[in-house]
Each structure stands twice: as structure tokens, then as C-alpha cells.
Amino acid sequence: MNSPGLSAERTALAWRRTAVAVTVVGALFLNHAVNSGWRPAAIAPVGAAIASAVLAGVSYLRNRGLRTGRYSCSSRIVAVTAVAVVAIAVVAAAIGFTDPLP
């Protein structure tokens, strides 16, 4: 039988995985910006890296809140997270189409 604590634990782990994943994606965006040279086109990956860092922070704070027993969820947090993930994916796709690997 599931207790309310287990679902909160699973949700906290999902937020932690999100934080780790967007941290890695942000590092990859920065790596792309540095390796491709600091030209004006590097603004997009640097912006996506900053958005990834903010999203990682939000995900970490949500994970920490769930672990300390603050279960209230703002639908705004989930909506902002979804929009940020889609925006970062669009930037990644644009980079892939406009600056493919040699």
C-alpha cells in the first residue's frame, strides 16, 4: 500500500533528476559557445545555459521543499518549468540546424 510520503519522495527524486539533467545541458551549451568561438551567434547557447542554471536552481529548491515536508505545489512552478524546457529545446534544435558538427 502506498503512503503519501512515497509519492512525495518520487516527486522529489523527479525534481532532482531534472536539476541534474538541466545542469548537464547547460554545461553542454557553454561548451558549444566556447568551442565555436565567442561570436554574436554564441548569445543563444549562453542564454540557454543561463536558463538551464535558473531551472536547475528552481528544481533543486522544489526537491528540497518536498523533502522537508512542504507539499504545496504551485501550478506556476510546473508551467514555468515546462516553458523553460521547451525554450531550451528550441535553442538546441536551432543550434543543430544552423551550426551542425563538421
Side-chain angles (χ1 to χ4, degrees), residues 25-91:
V25 169
L28 291 172
F29 276 124
L30 283 179
N31 181 38
H32 177 76
V34 169
N35 287 336
S36 66
W38 291 103
R39 58 184 201 264
I43 292 172
V46 170
I50 291 169
S52 296
V54 170
L55 183 56
V58 168
S59 298
Y60 171 76
L61 290 175
R62 183 68 184 136
N63 169 35
R64 192 169 170 189
L66 286 168
R67 290 189 175 274
T68 59
R70 289 180 285 164
Y71 301 124
S72 65
C73 179
S74 170
S75 59
R76 215 174 325 163
I77 293 173
V78 175
V80 168
T81 301
V83 169
V85 168
V86 169
I88 292 168
V90 167
V91 171

